Amino acid sequence: RGNPAIDTTGVGAWAGVPLRAGGGEVLGTFGVLDNRARRWTVGDVELLDTLAQAASGEIALRAALEDSEERAARADELAAAVALANQRTAEFARTLQRSLLPPVLPDVLGLDIAAAYVPASTGEEVVGDFYDVFEGVSGSWCVAVGDVSGKGPEAAALTGLARWTLRAVALRTISPLKVLVRLNEVLVHRRPSDDRHITVALATIRRHRGRVSATICAAGHPLPLLRRGDGTIVAAAGPGMAVGWFDRPALSETRTDLSVDDMLIFVTDGVLEARRWPLA
């Protein structure tokens, strides 16, 4: 208001949030404008903040990759520094892997939430497995567990894209199926040359009139299991296609009510592959 540039550019409304580096320094502003005067809703600001965090994460990822490449080049020139470079690369991989996971799990009224992440190898290579728990639309909570094909920096970049897309879209719809359809559109539009895809199981958990319900959609991912309080175990969702391959993947969502002592269990295929089969 009062800025003479407003009249010449035709800006009617503007909102912005800071873009930050990994150390918290402000790099710039992520903003959105409208040519008409308007008031930004809480949901608008939350979505803008989510997009800004995604952009900040991409900036941090690129900076980390450039730093890793510079260290690798020095290692080629100095044979004596190879061991140190490998150690730093491993530290970078572990740091990058941690950045793809939530630092803490939220406290959700009426629910107990727990997660475990155990690398199958030494943890010196970034893999595409991820999980996330975040608030969705209308007071709901979302649980996502996924697996990006491949390993390394490209898989890490795609994992970050998937996480922030899920978070952004979940602020607009309570349907996990619609969220995964939108993620598929983003991935298909991206069209990676190496044919990468993502499997993911997404649940929207909601409290309504004293009851808790979960709506779940699985896109090519191991089906979540529902363990009832009486010990009965059933699949909590139907099978579906991985996202990122086809324009219209076959997906479905399943809604179920949760009672006291019921447990929803999400895993990646690493858990299934780690089973110790008997020799005879």
Side-chain angles (χ1 to χ4, degrees):
R1 182 177 180 182
N3 189 330
I6 298 300
D7 295 332
T8 58
T9 58
V11 176
W14 181 89
V17 295
L19 286 172
R20 298 185 182 275
E25 304 88 351
V26 176
L27 300 176
T29 303
F30 193 100
V32 61
L33 59 86
D34 197 335
N35 59 1
R36 296 174 299 176
R38 58 172 293 172
R39 292 185 180 274
W40 304 104
T41 67
V42 174
D44 292 335
V45 176
E46 289 178 349
L47 179 58
L48 184 61
D49 185 60
T50 297
L51 294 175
Q53 291 185 50
S56 297
E58 183 70 15
I59 293 172
L61 174 62
R62 294 188 181 187
L65 291 177
E66 290 175 359
D67 185 57
S68 177
E69 292 171 355
E70 291 176 0
R71 289 199 301 267
R74 290 196 300 267
D76 290 338
E77 298 173 356
L78 303 173
V82 169
L84 179 59
N86 289 339
Q87 179 182 357
R88 290 179 175 176
T89 300
E91 293 173 353
F92 159 72
R94 288 190 288 269
T95 300
L96 181 56
Q97 190 76 69
R98 287 194 298 269
S99 72
L100 300 175
L101 303 174
V104 295
L105 294 175
D107 292 326
V108 182
L109 180 64
L111 300 177
D112 292 326
I113 303 175
Y117 188 93
V118 182
S121 59
T122 60
E124 296 180 355
E125 189 172 26
V126 181
V127 296
D129 298 318
F130 70 93
Y131 66 87
D132 204 358
V133 182
F134 52 92
E135 191 169 2
V137 69
S138 301
S140 63
W141 286 88
C142 300
V143 177
V145 177
D147 185 7
V148 173
S149 62
K151 300 178 180 179
E154 284 294 327
L158 197 56
T159 300
L161 173 64
R163 278 192 65 207
W164 292 113
T165 299
L166 292 174
R167 281 177 169 255
V169 180
L171 291 172
R172 296 296 184 183
T173 176
I174 201 168
S175 167
L177 186 150
K178 292 181 179 179
V179 174
L180 292 183
V181 167
R182 180 55 182 153
L183 173 61
N184 182 75
E185 292 173 352
V186 171
L187 296 176
V188 170
H189 177 73
R190 184 176 182 269
R191 292 292 186 190
S193 58
D194 55 355
D195 193 32
R196 292 184 185 270
H197 61 280
I198 298 176
T199 69
V200 58
L202 178 65
T204 299
I205 301 175
R206 187 182 186 189
R207 296 174 59 90
H208 182 64
R209 295 181 179 178
R211 304 180 67 180
V212 178
S213 65
T215 305
I216 306 171
C217 184
H221 201 76
L223 299 183
L225 299 177
L226 173 59
R227 183 187 185 278
R228 293 294 187 184
D230 61 4
T232 304
I233 300 176
V234 296
M241 296 174 59
V243 292
W245 270 336
F246 303 103
D247 291 337
R248 297 181 179 180
L251 298 172
S252 63
E253 61 183 21
T254 302
R255 183 184 179 279
T256 184
D257 290 331
L258 301 179
S259 302
V260 176
D261 294 331
D262 285 352
M263 180 184 298
L264 272 175
I265 304 171
F266 297 79
V267 299
T268 63
D269 57 3
V271 174
L272 307 181
E273 295 167 357
R275 294 180 61 178
R276 296 182 179 273
W277 297 96
L279 298 178

